[in-house]
Amino acid sequence: QTVINLGKLHSFRKRLNSSVSTCRCLLVRKYSDVPRKFISFEEVAAQRRAQARRSLVVQVNSESSFKELYGYCSEYSDIKGVHHYNNSSGEHFMLIEFASEENLKDVLKTCSAHQKDVDVMSLQSPFLWFRATQGKREKYTTPDTSLAITDGNAAVNEDKLFEGLTTCASVSDQIQMLYDQTVLNDVGVRLRYMVARQLEVIFASLYSNIAIRPFGSSVNGFGKMGCDLDLVLTNVLPEEMSDPQKRLVYHEKKCEGGRNPWQRHMELVAELLELRVPGAGRVTRILNARVPIVKYTHEFTDVECDLCYNNMSGVYMSELLWLFGSLDPRVRPLCFVVRRWAHTAGLTSPHPGRWITNFPLTLMVLFFLQQTTKEGAVLPPLKYLVQRAGKEDVRIAEDNLNCTFLRDMNKLPPDTYSQNTASLETLLVQFFEFYAQFDFQDKAISINEGTAVRKPNGLPLYIVNPLEQTLNVSRNVSYEECERIRMEVRNAAWQLETAMEEKTDDWGLLCLIERKTSRGLKKLLRVGNSQRLVSVKDLFKDDDSVPGENELKSKLE
Ligand code: CTP
Ligand code: MG
């Protein structure tokens, strides 16, 4: 309990020209030891990047190599933690976090390399392997038991998940369980930052101020285990290097030839990925798109990566989603269940096309949560966060795009937090009902306003891009796909209501989501849409094979 002097409160209020409750909240924070409730996105990203700078991923023979590897490394340096994981080829890896970046450098000094010929050029990268000892085994000090090996990057066991969901007491518990068991875990996040770090290390000699940042679902709080990794490469001069007082200036190299210079740099990056990045495979160049992308598979971590250049608006968009997700603990679980339902209903597909994707679907959930019900809205509109932004929140992305909004949620007055205490189950039913009645014909979805706005054109689905409001993030969605969304939300509302009354096998959430096995396949085949048959192949990716599926798979191929 902090007693605040009333005089202080009112002079503070005058200075800030703000409401009493905002000031009270700020003063309480200023004069008391109230712990900060929120950590900002930038703080989290900075912590994760620092963690990656002092970490290494070492391929080992088996899980039991832990003690030996730990003993070997701890001779040179202090270890903070070790995590074990397998990739899909069954290879074993240990992610080691050292106590400091200096500690890691000490270990790197002891590394050796292979250089047979130019085809197999070794290079410094945070991905290494642990050579077996020749001859007699050395004795190392073994770790104390407090350093547990945690299981890492393994895909969620769908059978176990479904077993758990069947035994839940309520639909709300089912939604929470689905979220808890499928959300990207700590090792998944660490590995994604390691993949980014690897490129930074390797490209550093060519681009001196390079930064590679993860964005998208890997960092926005809506990523599930196994999600893709979106990466953005930036090359911005630090302030001290732009000082006009400095007399010695580097000669520059102009990119001649009239083509978009960054398209050419991305070509080079793709070449480097093929020639110089251990673990990078299946490099694909998509360079004529509005945002040129290089795709690749990171085989040591099983992560599919999309690398683009200077797309800072994508990072700010991830920050925005992250902030909304951290404002209320129901936001992320609700988005997870909606994304999973949409996948089961065949509304989304891993392939690009005329259908909706996870990102606009997430905006639909946020928009629904901004609607004022009897109990009030769960989330405020984005304009509320924009109005409260300070100087420290100003961010200008590429093409002069203004991405300014309040970053530190600790500054929000307490009355921002919703009085709405509806359960996840109620919110899910309301989500389906809301979109079953939504006027897709005339209205656009805008999380900036938090209310439906008039559609500026006749595109079937209009979801305003929150950071570039003249754009529609769902412009690719066809009339047929929009109709399918309308039909599926109506079905879901009805199915969920029935499945809550009758306690059958498909009880509660189970009627809306299916295992990614033959049941999912059958459902997609029922849709009977020829384009969707392409995506059926994807069902086999993490599938436990069942009789008959392989024949079907070969037919599809
Ligand atoms: N993005 C954007 N504008 C769009 C599409 C995407 O700003 N029209 C940004 C968003 O920050 C999004 C990120 O790019 O999160 C990555 O897009 P995408 O990979 O399609 O979505 P994810 O959120 O990463 O979801 P998924 O798990 O399906 O990859
Ligand atoms: Mg993504």
Side-chain angles (χ1 to χ4, degrees):
Q1 295 283 320
T2 308
V3 180
I4 292 169
N5 176 307
L6 262 186
K8 206 179 259 172
L9 174 66
H10 286 290
S11 75
F12 200 55
R13 190 178 89 84
K14 262 196 202 149
R15 250 193 307 139
L16 284 184
N17 194 17
S18 193
S19 73
V20 172
S21 67
T22 311
C23 292
R24 189 181 302 122
C25 173
L26 289 174
L27 278 175
V28 166
R29 249 172 236 138
K30 193 164 174 213
Y31 294 103
S32 71
D33 296 329
V34 176
R36 289 166 73 228
K37 193 172 166 196
F38 296 100
I39 305 179
S40 76
F41 176 84
E42 282 173 0
E43 281 171 301
V44 175
Q47 281 169 12
R48 290 293 189 179
R49 295 186 73 196
Q51 203 172 57
R53 278 201 299 273
R54 55 174 185 262
S55 301
L56 291 175
V57 177
V58 183
Q59 187 171 355
V60 290
N61 200 24
S62 76
E63 212 170 317
S64 55
S65 315
F66 166 63
K67 284 185 178 170
E68 215 177 327
L69 177 67
Y70 181 94
Y72 182 83
C73 291
S74 54
E75 296 223 326
Y76 303 98
S77 171
D78 290 339
I79 293 173
K80 203 168 171 191
V82 183
H83 307 266
H84 166 261
Y85 74 91
N86 287 119
N87 67 358
S88 58
S89 314
E91 292 159 332
H92 293 264
F93 296 85
M94 301 279 176
L95 193 163
I96 313 178
E97 184 190 350
F98 295 95
S100 71
E101 219 178 317
E102 285 310 308
N103 283 155
L104 178 132
K105 283 181 191 156
D106 290 341
V107 174
L108 286 180
K109 279 185 209 144
T110 74
C111 291
S112 64
H114 260 243
Q115 182 148 14
K116 289 186 196 124
D117 52 44
V118 285
D119 285 350
V120 194
M121 270 202 270
S122 56
L123 71 168
Q124 292 210 356
S125 139
F127 288 84
L128 310 155
W129 60 277
F130 193 43
R131 204 197 308 258
T133 44
Q134 284 144 9
K136 79 171 183 356
R137 280 181 180 263
E138 289 162 63
K139 279 228 155 75
Y140 296 113
T141 25
T142 48
D144 53 12
T145 43
S146 62
L147 264 171
I149 299 188
T150 48
D151 235 321
N153 208 20
V156 179
N157 180 327
E158 291 274 314
D159 287 335
K160 259 198 177 159
L161 171 67
F162 274 73
E163 232 177 87
L165 292 175
T166 323
T167 56
C168 281
S170 67
V171 174
S172 297
D173 288 353
Q174 287 183 319
I175 299 172
Q176 192 63 48
M177 180 180 279
L178 179 76
Y179 170 72
D180 292 340
Q181 295 203 5
T182 57
V183 67
L184 187 62
N185 66 10
D186 175 56
V187 175
V189 177
R190 281 174 188 264
L191 289 177
R192 281 162 177 76
Y193 275 89
M194 288 307 292
V195 171
R197 178 68 190 149
Q198 183 189 33
L199 294 193
E200 255 176 19
V201 171
I202 293 172
F203 295 167
S205 59
L206 286 175
Y207 302 97
S208 55
N209 308 301
I210 198 162
I212 309 253
R213 292 187 180 82
F215 70 105
S217 58
S218 295
V219 293
N220 67 15
F222 297 100
K224 61 176 177 41
M225 288 302 287
C227 69
D228 293 356
L229 172 60
D230 301 289
L231 292 169
V232 59
L233 182 161
T234 55
N235 188 44
V236 184
L237 271 193
E239 230 166 79
E240 66 272 15
M241 276 192 79
S242 336
D243 183 355
Q245 303 299 320
K246 291 187 175 167
R247 298 282 311 276
L248 287 172
V249 185
Y250 286 106
H251 266 301
E252 60 239 27
K253 175 74 191 168
K254 264 217 169 96
C255 184
E256 312 276 351
R259 277 169 64 205
N260 177 349
W262 270 99
Q263 209 170 347
R264 294 192 59 190
H265 283 286
M266 290 305 281
E267 270 170 27
L268 173 64
V269 163
E271 287 291 308
L272 288 171
L273 278 163
E274 280 174 343
L275 290 171
R276 303 294 290 147
V277 181
R282 295 197 294 181
V283 179
T284 313
R285 297 147 174 86
I286 307 172
L287 299 175
N288 289 322
R290 193 175 65 95
V291 182
I293 287 181
V294 175
K295 286 173 151 318
Y296 69 101
T297 306
H298 197 274
E299 283 150 7
F300 299 149
T301 54
D302 282 336
V303 176
E304 298 292 330
C305 308
D306 281 3
L307 175 65
C308 60
Y309 169 70
N310 204 26
N311 179 24
M312 279 308 284
S313 59
V315 177
Y316 298 139
M317 189 76 85
S318 307
E319 185 169 16
L320 189 61
L321 296 198
W322 191 87
L323 288 178
F324 275 119
S326 58
L327 273 178
D328 188 288
R330 293 166 293 178
V331 178
R332 288 174 184 151
L334 193 67
C335 283
F336 264 62
V337 68
V338 169
R339 285 164 92 142
R340 177 83 188 220
W341 155 78
H343 177 83
T344 305
L347 291 175
T348 52
S349 153
H351 301 283
R354 294 177 299 144
W355 35 84
I356 193 162
T357 60
N358 281 331
F359 170 61
L361 201 57
T362 308
L363 294 183
M364 282 176 76
V365 179
L366 298 182
F367 179 71
F368 154 72
L369 293 172
Q370 292 169 330
Q371 305 310 301
T372 316
T373 60
K374 269 182 269 155
E375 284 195 81
V378 175
L379 290 176
L382 172 55
K383 65 180 179 190
Y384 184 89
L385 301 183
V386 174
Q387 284 157 6
R388 275 153 189 80
K391 262 200 237 145
E392 64 288 359
D393 297 312
V394 175
R395 304 284 186 284
I396 307 295
E398 68 281 358
D399 302 329
N400 244 348
L401 199 62
N402 191 344
C403 302
T404 303
F405 48 83
L406 181 72
R407 261 64 190 185
D408 183 0
M409 296 296 118
N410 294 298
K411 290 183 187 160
L412 280 180
D415 53 17
T416 312
Y417 304 117
S418 170
Q419 305 304 311
N420 181 316
T421 52
S423 66
L424 279 167
E425 173 180 324
T426 307
L427 289 177
L428 183 62
V429 174
Q430 285 175 351
F431 170 84
F432 291 130
E433 284 169 353
F434 175 74
Y435 283 110
Q437 284 164 25
F438 189 79
D439 179 6
F440 287 97
Q441 173 104 26
D442 293 324
K443 298 289 188 200
I445 289 162
S446 160
I447 69 158
N448 303 68
E449 296 301 321
T451 51
V453 294
R454 241 182 119 74
K455 252 191 196 180
N457 60 34
L459 283 169
L461 180 62
Y462 204 107
I463 303 176
V464 176
N465 183 321
L467 296 179
E468 207 169 352
Q469 292 181 53
T470 51
L471 299 183
N472 172 10
V473 299
S474 53
R475 64 184 177 284
N476 62 310
V477 177
S478 67
Y479 176 75
E480 292 76 19
E481 288 297 322
C482 186
E483 279 304 297
R484 276 174 29 75
I485 295 173
R486 296 172 69 165
M487 188 184 77
E488 290 294 347
V489 286
R490 265 182 251 137
N491 277 350
W494 177 81
Q495 269 178 301
L496 195 54
E497 217 168 285
T498 332
M500 281 189 299
E501 285 159 13
E502 304 157 13
K503 286 235 167 179
T504 57
D505 278 358
D506 265 5
W507 172 79
L509 209 58
L510 297 162
C511 73
L512 295 183
I513 61 167
E514 283 181 308
R515 267 189 198 86
K516 287 183 210 148
T517 57
S518 55
R519 295 169 74 205
L521 173 68
K522 278 186 219 142
K523 184 142 190 170
L524 276 188
L525 287 176
R526 273 208 302 277
V527 173
N529 174 335
S530 61
Q531 277 134 346
R532 291 205 171 272
L533 284 179
V534 179
S535 69
V536 168
K537 276 191 269 180
D538 275 80
L539 280 169
F540 293 95
K541 266 193 193 163
D542 45 355
D543 210 353
D544 325 315
S545 255
V546 280
E549 277 184 352
N550 285 340
E551 285 156 52
L552 186 54
K553 186 181 174 188
S554 58
K555 268 185 208 152
L556 287 167
E557 280 167 351

